[in-house]
């Protein structure tokens, strides 16, 4: 085996080791594909998974993982209970009658679900919409990492409201959601619709004009959020102005 960068040949033992690693990577890729297919088959008809996928940045893996971790959403009487369950609530230090001091998140609870929410937060921060506006506002004050955690906490609150009230995300992009659902169905084994002579459920996402119109609506919602925060600030300071006070979009 010859190195592409230097042109030299690897010894026989190194070539054998590389070949073993490549075989192992291929085997793991096949295992992951099987797991993805199993998850897709269980999630394709799940109304809660479909509902959570209306949130920007939430894919089927995140939605299915969160639902598996939460179980019955009625166990949590309020959104902050769910936030604490994921360990996204800030630590509070208070002595006597002194003012409470808020520190880093507790990191108690379901660490895997918390990691999924943070991953979804990074994805949501890249797409136009109120969630990105919220991310940018926190980032300008506290930095990237704190902003991502703040968005993850907001996602937990949002998930509680959507599942409890059985409503989809208000700022969902229909064509994008349809594309997500179609990809999920294909992964679960649904037949393709190419050459069938009819438009598929994700057709709108392939039309540039429709896709751009939904993106423009999301950008307008982002600007509306920014204006709302600007007006809110002009009314005077409150006791807390960080992410923990904002539970809704």
């Amino acid at each position: 085996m010859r190195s592409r960068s230097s042109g030299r040949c690897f010894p026989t033992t190194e070539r054998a080791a590389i070949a073993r690693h490549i075989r192992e990577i291929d085997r793991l890729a096949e295992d992951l594909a099987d797991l993805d297919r199993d998850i897709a088959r269980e999630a394709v008809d799940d109304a809660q998974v479909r509902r959570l996928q209306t949130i920007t940045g939430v894919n089927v893996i995140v939605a299915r993982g969160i639902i598996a971790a939460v179980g019955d959403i009625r166990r949590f009487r309020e959104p902050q209970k769910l936030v604490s369950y994921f360990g996204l609530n800030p630590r509070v230090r208070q002595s006597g009658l002194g003012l409470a001091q808020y520190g880093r998140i507790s990191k108690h609870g379901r660490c895997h679900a918390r990691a999924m929410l943070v991953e979804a937060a990074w994805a949501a921060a890249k797409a136009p919409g109120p969630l990105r506006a919220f991310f940018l506002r926190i980032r300008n004050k506290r930095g990237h990492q704190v902003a991502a955690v703040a968005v993850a906490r907001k996602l937990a609150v949002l998930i509680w409201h959507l599942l409890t009230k059985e409503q989809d995300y208000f700022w969902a992009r229909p064509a994008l959601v349809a594309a997500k659902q179609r990809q999920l169905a294909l992964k679960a084994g649904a037949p393709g619709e190419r050459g069938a002579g009819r438009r598929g459920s994700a057709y709108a996402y392939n039309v540039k004009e429709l896709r751009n119109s939904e993106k423009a609506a999301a950008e307008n919602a982002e600007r509306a959020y920014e204006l709302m925060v600007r007006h809110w600030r002009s009314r005077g300071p409150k006791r807390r102005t960080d992410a923990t006070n904002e539970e809704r979009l």
Side-chain angles (χ1 to χ4, degrees), residues 7-97:
R8 64 184 179 85
C9 293
F10 289 110
T12 303
T13 55
E14 291 187 9
R15 292 202 302 269
I18 291 172
R20 286 197 302 272
H21 292 321
I22 291 175
R23 289 195 299 271
E24 181 66 13
I25 290 173
D26 291 340
R27 186 188 65 79
L28 291 174
E30 292 176 359
D31 291 344
L32 287 174
D34 291 340
L35 288 173
D36 285 342
R37 185 167 54 252
D38 292 341
I39 292 173
R41 287 172 177 170
E42 292 182 2
V44 68
D45 295 323
D46 192 321
Q48 288 187 322
V49 170
R50 190 180 300 112
R51 176 158 288 121
L52 293 190
Q53 283 194 109
T54 62
I55 305 173
T56 305
V58 175
N59 59 22
V60 62
I61 300 298
V62 174
R64 194 71 183 90
I66 295 300
I67 291 172
V70 170
D72 188 353
I73 192 63
R74 291 173 295 182
R75 297 192 299 135
F76 304 94
R77 291 175 297 175
E78 57 185 14
Q80 288 306 320
K81 298 291 184 182
L82 185 60
V83 170
S84 299
Y85 182 70
F86 291 136
L88 289 167
N89 55 313
R91 293 191 179 98
V92 181
R93 296 178 181 177
Q94 187 173 16
S95 177
L97 299 177

Side-chain angles (χ1 to χ4, degrees), residues 117 120-122 124-125 131 134-135 146-156 243:
L117 285 175
W122 284 113
L131 288 172
F134 177 75
F135 173 86
V146 174
V149 173
V151 174
R153 181 165 56 241
K154 182 175 284 292
L155 285 174

Side-chain angles (χ1 to χ4, degrees), residues 117-128:
L117 285 175
V118 173
E119 179 183 349
W122 284 113
K126 298 176 183 178

Side-chain angles (χ1 to χ4, degrees), residues 43-227:
V44 68
D45 295 323
D46 192 321
Q48 288 187 322
V49 170
R50 190 180 300 112
R51 176 158 288 121
L52 293 190
Q53 283 194 109
T54 62
I55 305 173
T56 305
V58 175
N59 59 22
V60 62
I61 300 298
V62 174
R64 194 71 183 90
I66 295 300
I67 291 172
V70 170
D72 188 353
I73 192 63
R74 291 173 295 182
R75 297 192 299 135
F76 304 94
R77 291 175 297 175
E78 57 185 14
Q80 288 306 320
K81 298 291 184 182
L82 185 60
V83 170
S84 299
Y85 182 70
F86 291 136
L88 289 167
N89 55 313
R91 293 191 179 98
V92 181
R93 296 178 181 177
Q94 187 173 16
S95 177
L97 299 177
L99 294 176
Q101 296 181 347
Y102 295 85
R104 298 176 181 272
I105 60 173
S106 67
K107 293 186 178 181
H108 295 158
R110 304 301 292 266
C111 60
H112 292 93
R114 181 171 64 251
M116 287 183 176
L117 285 175
V118 173
E119 179 183 349
W122 284 113
K126 298 176 183 178
L131 288 172
R132 184 171 72 173
F134 177 75
F135 173 86
L136 294 175
R137 189 177 74 82
I138 303 300
R139 186 197 66 179
N140 293 338
K141 296 191 302 182
R142 305 288 300 279
H144 284 81
Q145 296 296 333
V146 174
V149 173
V151 174
R153 181 165 56 241
K154 182 175 284 292
L155 285 174
V157 173
L158 184 58
I159 286 170
W160 184 90
H161 283 287
L162 296 186
L163 295 182
T164 301
K165 300 173 183 177
E166 297 184 351
Q167 296 177 351
D168 292 342
Y169 183 45
F170 184 79
W171 299 111
R173 296 165 60 180
L176 179 58
V177 174
K180 287 183 183 181
Q181 194 64 22
R182 181 56 183 163
Q183 291 172 4
L184 176 60
L186 290 173
K187 192 172 291 186
E193 295 177 342
R194 285 188 177 181
R198 62 177 183 273
R199 293 177 177 178
S201 56
Y203 170 79
Y205 190 72
N206 296 320
V207 179
K208 187 176 181 180
E209 291 77 10
L210 294 175
R211 189 168 66 247
N212 288 343
S213 66
E214 288 191 3
K215 183 179 179 181
E219 290 171 345
N220 289 334
E222 183 175 337
R223 287 191 291 271
Y225 177 89
E226 293 171 350
L227 290 173

